[in-house]
Amino acid sequence: MRIKASQWTFGLTILLAVVTLAFPLALFGQPPEPAVPLADGFRTPILAFEFATRASDLAFLQGEAGAEMRAHMRHVQFLDWFFPVAYAGMAASFFMGMALRGNFLALIGVGLALATIPADWQENAAMNAILDEFENPICNESNIPPERREDYVLRDCLGEDAFADAAPEYELVSFALDSLIPVKVEILRIDTWIKWGLIGAYAAWLAILFFLAKRRLLAIPPALAALSVAACWIAVSTGLGAEIMAELMSLVLIPFMLTFPVAAVMYVLGHKKRRR
């Protein structure tokens, strides 16, 4: 019996689903207890990092007290170079299976899912750049290329006594022109929402495809996932309940991700029954 191309893609969906589940369950591990409380009531360090909106939100990663947490984040960031290939590849494989069954609108989902992979990698690069600066601050002019010395204000490398008698306006300017951390946090914020926006987009598209295919129960988890991403964006943008919505969004994504292997099995079994 010849196996159809769509069955291969649905089989790949199931395989990548197992890999996707293995990452958070077996590889990421339990984060250490933060030495400094996470900003705005966050409970999960990686979410507090991803959704930071200002440099002060990352106090739990700074200094000697944050060394253990930074080491954990390095471990998570290393694994996260492979994680998007698993979860986005799973989604892309499923969309491709639908397309091979004649639903060519699913090709849009393939593109959205695959675009998530470089978006996630870019977010990782932004997070690693912040960790690099926390661990290796530039503390003297000899470390700075002459042509760039005017771009740096080395406030992070000075003791608190350096600003003890400073005028308020000088201290305010020193914060505004601090190291590149504030700029990097803003870059991270943009990269984070590009990634989550793509995840929300292909979740919404999957819900639409299931609804059109009259598989309305399967449409519920992706629809809720898309709504949770939108609600989280609103919460973070307004500063109202950001930590609650981010944590809730991460939970809602679990049944959404499980939808892919469950639907893949249903499509394969449904196809076999029709052949009989």
Side-chain angles (χ1 to χ4, degrees), residues 232-249:
C232 185
W233 181 79
I234 293 171
V236 172
S237 299
T238 60
L240 300 174
E243 72 288 351
I244 296 174
M245 284 312 306
E247 300 281 353
L248 179 61
M249 179 182 67

Side-chain angles (χ1 to χ4, degrees), residues 45-63:
I46 190 65
L47 292 178
F49 194 175
E50 282 190 51
F51 292 103
T53 57
R54 53 191 182 275
S56 59
D57 291 343
L58 300 177
F60 70 99
L61 292 170
Q62 299 183 46

Side-chain angles (χ1 to χ4, degrees), residues 219-270:
I220 293 174
L224 291 177
L227 289 172
S228 72
V229 172
C232 185
W233 181 79
I234 293 171
V236 172
S237 299
T238 60
L240 300 174
E243 72 288 351
I244 296 174
M245 284 312 306
E247 300 281 353
L248 179 61
M249 179 182 67
S250 68
L251 293 176
V252 172
L253 285 179
I254 296 173
F256 165 53
M257 292 296 178
L258 289 173
T259 302
F260 290 104
V262 170
V265 170
M266 291 176 65
Y267 271 76
V268 171
L269 293 179

Side-chain angles (χ1 to χ4, degrees), residues 136-146 148-149 152 154 157:
N136 301 292
I138 301 168
C139 295
N140 60 74
E141 289 190 350
S142 64
N143 292 335
I144 306 172
R148 299 199 61 195
R149 286 178 185 172
Y152 289 83
L154 308 179
C157 304

Side-chain angles (χ1 to χ4, degrees), residues 82-115:
F82 307 97
F83 189 42
V85 176
Y87 76 77
M90 172 185 67
S93 296
F94 182 80
F95 281 119
M96 182 57 72
M98 295 182 76
L100 290 171
R101 291 283 180 89
N103 190 343
F104 297 110
L105 289 175
L107 290 174
I108 296 174
V110 174
L112 291 171
L114 291 179

Side-chain angles (χ1 to χ4, degrees), residues 162-230:
F163 294 91
D165 300 320
E169 58 271 18
Y170 174 76
E171 189 163 1
L172 180 63
V173 169
S174 77
F175 272 114
L177 299 177
D178 199 357
S179 69
L180 298 179
I181 288 292
V183 176
K184 290 178 179 179
V185 169
E186 180 62 21
I187 292 172
L188 172 60
R189 187 180 69 83
I190 295 169
D191 291 339
T192 292
W193 281 114
I194 290 174
K195 181 196 80 172
W196 284 107
L198 286 168
I199 292 174
Y202 75 71
W205 194 242
L206 183 64
I208 291 169
L209 293 180
F210 280 151
F211 186 82
L212 293 175
K214 299 189 183 337
R215 295 178 180 268
R216 291 171 185 172
L217 283 177
L218 286 176
I220 293 174
L224 291 177
L227 289 172
S228 72
V229 172

